[in-house]
C-alpha cells in the first residue's frame, strides 16, 4: 500500500470516528446538555441526536424522571419550647435541564438544605399539639415555600412529606399519662351517663306500672259500682213486685220474700271464715213452711201459664 492508500485509509477511519462522535443516543427519561468550548448551546432529548464532533461536547446528563430525596433527621424547637426530632422525604422533577445543570451546583444537596431550613422555620412557628395534629398543613406549607424557591433551578417539587415527628421520651410519657387520664375520664362519664339513663328508665317503668295499676283499680271500681247498681235495681224491682202481690192479698209472696232473705242470711253465716257451728233459730220450721209457700207459689205460677 502506497502513501496515498494509507492516507485514504486513515481518512476513512477518521470519517467513521467523526460520524461515531457526532451521533449521540439519549435514553428515555434522560436529557443531555451540549457545550461548545465550555458554553451551553443545546439540550439533547431522548433518541438519536447529531452534534458537531470535537467542537461540541456532552455537558451534563440529567435524569428527567421524578426523584425522591431523604431529608435527614433533625431537631426542631417548637413555639412552646418542646424539642422534637423530625425527618421527611422530598419528591421533585427536573423541568428544565439547562437551568438544573447550570443555575445551581449540587442540586440534591441544595434541595435538602433548603427543605431542612424551611422545616425548622415552619414547624418552629407552631405549638407541639399543632405539629402532631396538623401534619398535612405542614406538608402543604413546606411544599409551597420550597417549590417557589427552587423554580429558578428548573425543577418542580411535587411533594414534601414529614415521615416522623418524635417528641422526647419524658414528653411522650407525659402525653401517654394525659391520654390515659382523658380516656378514664370519658369512661367514668359514660358509666355515670349509663347509670343515669338506667335510673330514668327504671323510674319511667315504675310510673307506668303505677298508672296502669290505678287505671285497673278505677275500672274495677267502676264495674263493681255498676254491678251493685244493677243488683239494686233488680232488688227494687223484685221488692216492687212482692209489694204489688201483697197489695193484691197474695200471702205466698210474703213467704217467698221472707224465706229468700232468711236463706241469704244463713248462707252468709255459713260461709264466714270464723263460723264452725251453725245454730238454727227456733223459727226454722217457719222457714220450712215458707219454702213450702214457695212451692205453692211456683204451682200457682205454672197453673196460670197452663
Amino acid at each position: 500500500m502506497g502513501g496515498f492508500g494509507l492516507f485514504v485509509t486513515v481518512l476513512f477511519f477518521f470519517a467513521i470516528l467523526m460520524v461515531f462522535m457526532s451521533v449521540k443516543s439519549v435514553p428515555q427519561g434522560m436529557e443531555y446538555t451540549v457545550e461548545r468550548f465550555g458554553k451551553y448551546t443545546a439540550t439533547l432529548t431522548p433518541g438519536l441526536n447529531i452534534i458537531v464532533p470535537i467542537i461540541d461536547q456532552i455537558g451534563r446528563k440529567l435524569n428527567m424522571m421524578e426523584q425522591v430525596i431523604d431529608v435527614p433527621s433533625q431537631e426542631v424547637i417548637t413555639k412552646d419550647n418542646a424539642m422534637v426530632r423530625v425527618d421527611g422525604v422530598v419528591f421533585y422533577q427536573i423541568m428544565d435541564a439547562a437551568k438544573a445543570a447550570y443555575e445551581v451546583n449540587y442540586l440534591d444537596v441544595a434541595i435538602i438544605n433548603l427543605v431542612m431550613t424551611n422545616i425548622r422555620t415552619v414547624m418552629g412557628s407552631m405549638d407541639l399539639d399543632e405539629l402532631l395534629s396538623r401534619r398535612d398543613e405542614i406538608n402543604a406549607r413546606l411544599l409551597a415555600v420550597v417549590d417557589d424557591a427552587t423554580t429558578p433551578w428548573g425543577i418542580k417539587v411535587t411533594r414534601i412529606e414529614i415521615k416522623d415527628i418524635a417528641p422526647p421520651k419524658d414528653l411522650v410519657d407525659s402525653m401517654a399519662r394525659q391520654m390515659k387520664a382523658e380516656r378514664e375520664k370519658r369512661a367514668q362519664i359514660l358509666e355515670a351517663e349509663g347509670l343515669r339513663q338506667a335510673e330514668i328508665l327504671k323510674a319511667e317503668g315504675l310510673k307506668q306500672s303505677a298508672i296502669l295499676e290505678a287505671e285497673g283499680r278505677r275500672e274495677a271500681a267502676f264495674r263493681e259500682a255498676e254491678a251493685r247498681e244493677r243488683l239494686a235495681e233488680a232488688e227494687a224491682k223484685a221488692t216492687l213486685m212482692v209489694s204489688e202481690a201483697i197489695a193484691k192479698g197474695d200471702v205466698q209472696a210474703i213467704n217467698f220474700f221472707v224465706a229468700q232473705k232468711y236463706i241469704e242470711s244463713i248462707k252468709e253465716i255459713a260461709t264466714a271464715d270464723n263460723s264452725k257451728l251453725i245454730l238454727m233459730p227456733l223459727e226454722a220450721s217457719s222457714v220450712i213452711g215458707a219454702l213450702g209457700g214457695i212451692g205453692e207459689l211456683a204451682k200457682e205460677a205454672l197453673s196460670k201459664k197452663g
Side-chain angles (χ1 to χ4, degrees):
M1 179 181 297
F4 180 75
L6 180 61
F7 174 76
V8 172
T9 302
V10 172
L11 185 62
F12 175 74
F13 282 105
F14 181 76
I16 293 176
L17 179 63
M18 290 298 104
V19 171
F20 180 77
M21 294 177 63
S22 65
V23 176
K24 296 296 180 183
S25 175
V26 180
Q28 185 65 41
M30 300 290 291
E31 287 188 0
Y32 298 168
T33 61
V34 179
E35 297 175 355
R36 179 170 294 175
F37 304 117
K39 181 181 179 182
Y40 167 78
T41 57
T43 300
L44 303 182
T45 57
L48 290 178
N49 296 269
I50 305 298
I51 62 174
V52 179
I54 300 177
I55 298 177
D56 291 340
Q57 299 290 331
I58 298 299
R60 303 287 180 85
K61 297 180 179 180
L62 299 169
N63 187 341
M64 303 301 290
M65 295 181 287
E66 187 172 9
Q67 302 176 66
V68 59
I69 304 174
D70 280 326
V71 179
S73 177
Q74 63 175 329
E75 291 183 343
V76 176
I77 299 177
T78 62
K79 185 178 179 181
D80 52 351
N81 295 323
M83 183 174 291
V84 296
R85 181 164 288 277
V86 183
D87 59 6
V89 291
V90 182
F91 296 84
Y92 75 97
Q93 186 173 17
I94 297 176
M95 308 302 292
D96 189 322
K99 289 183 178 179
Y102 302 108
E103 293 293 337
V104 60
N105 197 18
Y106 300 112
L107 178 61
D108 289 354
V109 176
I111 294 174
I112 290 174
N113 281 279
L114 185 61
V115 173
M116 292 179 68
T117 301
N118 281 281
I119 284 177
R120 289 194 294 270
T121 302
V122 173
M123 301 183 74
S125 65
M126 304 174 74
D127 295 332
L128 179 61
D129 291 340
E130 293 177 325
L131 292 185
L132 299 176
S133 60
R134 299 182 180 179
R135 189 170 299 192
D136 290 341
E137 180 183 343
I138 296 171
N139 294 337
R141 290 176 61 181
L142 287 173
L143 178 61
V145 174
V146 175
D147 184 48
D148 184 64
T150 56
T151 299
W153 300 344
I155 67 172
K156 173 66 178 177
V157 178
T158 55
R159 282 180 295 171
I160 296 179
E161 299 287 344
I162 299 298
K163 290 196 301 184
D164 190 23
I165 300 176
K169 187 177 182 305
D170 57 342
L171 188 56
V172 173
D173 294 340
S174 176
M175 293 170 64
R177 290 196 301 272
Q178 180 182 2
M179 183 168 53
K180 181 180 178 181
E182 186 67 25
R183 288 179 176 175
E184 290 178 349
K185 175 185 174 183
R186 289 202 298 267
Q188 291 175 356
I189 292 174
L190 291 175
E191 185 178 0
E193 184 67 22
L195 292 174
R196 175 175 172 272
Q197 291 293 333
E199 292 296 330
I200 290 175
L201 292 175
K202 183 178 179 180
E204 288 288 340
L206 293 175
K207 176 184 175 183
Q208 292 295 328
S209 177
I211 291 174
L212 292 175
E213 185 178 355
E215 289 180 352
R217 290 199 302 270
R218 185 183 65 177
E219 182 68 18
F222 175 78
R223 293 183 180 277
E224 185 179 357
E226 188 178 26
R228 287 200 300 270
E229 182 180 356
R230 297 290 184 272
L231 180 61
E233 289 177 357
E235 289 181 351
K237 187 178 292 183
T239 303
L240 179 61
M241 293 176 63
V242 170
S243 299
E244 290 177 354
I246 294 172
K248 292 178 182 178
D250 191 348
V251 180
Q252 299 300 338
I254 299 174
N255 292 333
F256 171 76
F257 185 75
V258 172
Q260 184 184 19
K261 295 298 182 183
Y262 201 90
I263 291 171
E264 291 176 355
S265 300
I266 292 175
K267 180 181 177 181
E268 293 179 357
I269 294 172
T271 56
D273 296 335
N274 56 354
S275 297
K276 301 300 182 183
L277 180 61
I278 300 176
L279 299 176
M280 297 298 293
L282 295 175
E283 293 79 8
S285 57
S286 301
V287 175
I288 295 173
L291 294 175
I294 293 173
E296 293 296 333
L297 185 60
K299 290 178 181 178
E300 290 180 5
L302 292 174
S303 62
K304 290 179 180 178
K305 289 182 178 180

